[in-house]
Amino acid sequence: MPGQWFTETRPRRLRRGAALSLVFAGVLATGAATGAFGGETAPRRPAADARNADSRTAPGPSDTAPQGGTGRVPEPERGRDAAHELVSRSGDRWSAAYSAREYEGLRQALDGSYVGVGISVREVRAAARHGGDGKHTGGDGKNGAGHGGRPPRAVEVDHVEPGSPAARAGVRAGDRLRAVGDRPVTGMPVTDVVALLRGTPGADGPGSSVTLELSRNGPSGAEGSWHTTLRRARLDTDAVTVDRLGPGVTRIKVAAFTRGAGEQVRKAVAERVPEGSGVLLDLRGNAGGLVDEAVTAASAFLDGGLVATYDDEGTQRALYAPRGKGDDELPVVVLVDGGTMSAAELLTGALQDRGRAVVVGSHTFGKGSVQMPRRQRDGSVAELTVGHYATPSGRDVEGRGIAPDLSVDSRDGATERARTVLSGLEPPS
């Protein structure tokens, strides 16, 4: 996109004030069972069907449509025939069709609420003993082991929401999730696991039940498994959390760019970062959300200037941070992984290209397309791709992702390395 002119404009708005969204369809199946978007240890390049972003996700439009963003178009259902027909003609893997009821669920998710059991999950390397019974699907979608004879990757509970159905049942972070209902999940893409945990939109609402098979290592090291039946509930999540990782390090974790998340980041930078401290901006497992929120978050670290460019049905446009709003001297390290997608990649690319942050972790997912919703006469909604965005230097993210400045695959190792890098960054004198 270098050499082209871009008009300075806000993204065009949807009726009822819904903001332009990146990944509106792409995230649809990517959220974790907590309502989060995204993934923790997805492959370095997106799979052909875009389902392998694993989780630590946050509430978002991704969670209510199990097949959104998978490259498959679900069979038409009453109430979404018109949208389904439009999506079928598009041939676009990121497009998706929703009934009016399903789309209302997406709207609620964008506001930070979701129906689920209160856990987020992620893929982890599985020892051979976890590979199991031959019934599990491998990393390549076939039965048995993954690529190159490796055992399939296990699904692990990454976080349990306090007060949630899972928390009340005694589920803990680190437990292995082996099955949802009668479906073994070892080796299954996390997005598909999330779809099982969420159930069928409109049918499996609050109060519906789901049975999980889990396992945990006991004091002796022996692994024991058990079943528990949970009732789904409507839960609220905080898209942005702030904590201290030691002297001089304030971590701001953004799980998803739901409504208000950008301003929460700005407020955290202004009020929660002590003088002399740096920010570790954790975008791991963040599968995107609303573009306006990502731009607002970028403005916390930039004193104006270009954040991204995008193509809107052939018209080149640009997104800018306002001047005089951000702290452009604050040391920043951004943590990313294979589940960092779309609007989160937009923010990462802006801070990297503008020289405002060192990026640490693993290669991001590579979701750079822009979707816009179109409501049909029957009330259904079609999410259709209208273009792609690029970073300030003109890098196209779609299918390529963003390479970190410092590559570290291990989650804990990436956090420690980011802290080390942050300690060496000095604000200008």
Side-chain angles (χ1 to χ4, degrees):
M1 301 180 78
Q4 301 183 27
W5 290 93
F6 302 93
T7 56
E8 179 173 357
T9 178
R10 298 286 291 174
R12 79 186 145 95
R13 297 282 183 166
L14 312 179
R15 280 181 287 180
R16 296 187 179 181
L20 167 70
S21 61
L22 298 178
V23 200
F24 215 54
V27 194
L28 288 175
T30 314
T34 54
F37 295 99
E40 142 111 31
T41 51
R44 288 180 177 272
R45 291 184 297 272
D49 62 1
R51 290 180 301 168
N52 288 347
D54 0 314
S55 68
R56 185 87 173 55
T57 51
S62 45
D63 303 290
T64 33
Q67 302 207 31
T70 64
R72 301 189 301 259
V73 178
E75 291 301 315
E77 296 178 0
R78 181 179 299 176
R80 67 173 180 188
D81 289 359
H84 180 273
E85 181 179 354
L86 190 59
V87 169
S88 297
R89 291 201 305 265
S90 75
D92 174 39
R93 65 171 178 161
W94 293 117
S95 296
Y98 310 102
S99 67
R101 176 181 292 182
E102 290 170 341
Y103 199 73
E104 173 61 17
L106 302 188
R107 188 196 65 76
Q108 292 176 358
L110 278 173
D111 287 335
S113 68
Y114 66 97
V115 174
V117 297
I119 62 173
S120 57
V121 295
R122 64 187 181 118
E123 288 184 358
V124 295
R125 296 187 184 279
R129 61 190 180 93
H130 293 301
D133 51 16
K135 297 179 181 178
H136 299 161
T137 55
D140 59 358
K142 301 177 181 178
N143 289 338
H147 295 292
R150 295 191 300 266
R153 294 173 68 85
V155 178
E156 181 178 279
V157 176
D158 187 48
H159 175 75
V160 180
E161 195 71 21
S164 66
R168 292 193 296 271
V171 179
R172 303 176 190 168
D175 289 346
R176 292 286 173 93
L177 181 61
R178 302 180 66 83
V180 178
D182 60 357
R183 297 283 303 277
V185 298
T186 299
M188 182 182 290
V190 170
T191 51
D192 289 359
V193 177
V194 169
L196 294 176
L197 288 163
R198 288 300 180 104
T200 303
D204 296 322
S208 61
S209 62
V210 58
T211 299
L212 310 183
E213 180 186 352
L214 301 115
S215 64
R216 181 186 300 163
N217 289 336
S220 65
E223 185 178 45
S225 63
W226 77 98
H227 292 78
T228 184
T229 298
L230 307 177
R231 290 194 177 277
R232 299 179 179 94
R234 182 164 295 283
L235 303 169
D236 295 321
T237 58
D238 291 326
V240 179
T241 55
V242 183
D243 62 354
R244 298 294 304 279
L245 296 185
V249 180
T250 300
R251 175 169 57 187
I252 301 176
K253 167 69 177 175
V254 186
F257 287 106
T258 51
R259 204 173 315 281
E263 190 56 40
Q264 288 182 56
V265 172
R266 286 180 49 80
K267 187 175 181 180
V269 169
E271 300 178 3
R272 302 284 300 276
V273 181
E275 185 176 352
S277 180
V279 167
L280 197 163
L281 183 63
D282 193 344
L283 300 181
R284 291 176 295 186
N286 182 326
L290 297 173
V291 169
D292 278 359
E293 301 299 336
V295 173
T296 300
S299 72
F301 308 101
L302 299 171
D303 183 18
L306 185 63
V307 174
T309 58
Y310 70 96
D311 174 84
D312 180 2
E313 296 182 320
T315 300
Q316 302 300 326
R317 304 187 186 277
L319 300 168
Y320 289 89
R323 292 195 177 278
K325 298 287 187 178
D327 186 341
D328 61 352
E329 296 185 351
L330 183 70
V332 182
V333 172
V334 179
L335 274 169
V336 298
D337 66 7
T340 304
M341 298 172 64
S342 193
E345 290 176 291
L346 180 151
L347 173 57
T348 301
L351 297 182
Q352 187 180 52
D353 281 6
R354 298 282 302 276
R356 278 298 291 121
V358 176
V359 179
V360 176
S362 53
H363 209 105
T364 65
F365 187 85
K367 167 66 173 67
S369 58
V370 180
Q371 279 74 44
M372 294 288 289
R374 296 180 180 177
R375 191 172 295 276
Q376 308 301 302
R377 289 186 177 181
D378 63 358
S380 62
V381 177
E383 286 278 1
L384 300 175
T385 297
V386 297
H388 297 83
Y389 78 83
T391 68
S393 68
R395 289 184 293 166
D396 185 0
V397 175
E398 178 68 20
R400 296 178 173 87
I402 293 176
D405 299 306
L406 185 59
S407 181
V408 184
D409 289 330
S410 162
R411 181 180 179 84
D412 291 340
T415 302
E416 288 305 310
R417 186 65 63 88
R419 291 178 61 181
T420 301
V421 171
L422 191 60
S423 68
L425 298 178
E426 296 283 344
S429 56

